[in-house]
């Protein structure tokens, strides 16, 4: 199921044309992209490959692979950025109500963090780093 007004569904419809940063890796249910609305390097976004607006709408198959993606992406961020920890946040925003059209209706975001990093660069500042 797709929604014509949804940014994420629009990207899915032209998946083969997307730059690599928008389809770093994908499987049947999920797509990984770099966040483009942050100044923090390494910020990853996990997106469902169909129109989903809330966690309870995930199928059992999507839910079953979500945990695997959480661990895989955390390991990848550790390996690439050298971060000690990763912070994971889930957002579910109606894309048609947001002021920016590029906000997906539901996504998970991975943010690299270091144990000794200042508060301005760790997960506690997640909400002020975006955008
Ligand atoms: Zn959608």
């Amino acid at each position: 199921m797709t929604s014509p007004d949804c940014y994420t569904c629009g990207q899915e419809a032209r998946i083969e044309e997307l730059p690599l940063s928008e389809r770093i890796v994908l499987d049947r249910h999920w797509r990984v992209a770099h966040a483009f609305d942050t100044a923090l390097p390494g910020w990853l976004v996990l997106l469902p490959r169909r129109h989903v607006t809330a966690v309870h709408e995930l199928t059992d198959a999507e839910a079953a692979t979500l945990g695997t993606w959480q661990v895989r992406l955390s390991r990848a961020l550790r390996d690439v950025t050298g971060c000690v920890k990763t912070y994971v946040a889930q957002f579910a925003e109606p894309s048609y109500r947001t002021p920016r059209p590029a906000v997906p209706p539901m996504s998970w975001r991975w943010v690299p963090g270091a144990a000794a990093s200042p508060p301005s660069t760790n997960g506690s500042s997640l909400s002020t780093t975006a955008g």
Side-chain angles (χ1 to χ4, degrees), residues 32-112:
V32 179
H34 280 292
F36 56 81
D37 56 351
T38 178
L40 187 63
W43 189 314
L44 298 176
V45 182
L46 181 68
L47 301 150
R49 296 197 62 192
R50 64 181 185 90
H51 192 77
V52 177
T53 61
V55 173
H56 69 267
E57 295 176 357
L58 293 175
T59 65
D60 288 347
E62 291 165 336
T65 55
L66 180 59
T68 301
W69 277 111
Q70 290 181 344
V71 175
R72 288 176 69 192
L73 293 177
S74 292
R75 288 175 179 160
L77 274 183
R78 180 197 61 196
D79 292 349
V80 172
T81 70
C83 67
V84 175
K85 298 180 178 183
T86 54
Y87 298 90
V88 181
Q90 187 263 317
F91 296 91
E93 305 291 338
S95 59
Y96 58 88
R97 290 186 182 170
T98 59
R100 296 179 303 177
V103 175
M106 190 176 79
S107 64
W108 278 262
R109 301 196 173 222
W110 271 255
V111 181

Side-chain angles (χ1 to χ4, degrees), residues 3 6 8-9 51 105:
S3 174
C6 175
T8 304
C9 288
H51 192 77

Side-chain angles (χ1 to χ4, degrees), residues 5-18:
D5 297 329
C6 175
Y7 174 76
T8 304
C9 288
Q11 286 191 312
E12 187 64 31
R14 57 183 193 92
I15 192 82
E16 297 298 325
E17 302 168 18
L18 295 177

Side-chain angles (χ1 to χ4, degrees), residues 16-35:
E16 297 298 325
E17 302 168 18
L18 295 177
L20 184 57
S21 61
E22 292 294 321
R23 53 181 176 98
I24 298 169
V25 64
L26 33 93
D27 69 8
R28 182 176 174 193
H29 304 295
W30 301 98
R31 174 171 60 95
V32 179
H34 280 292

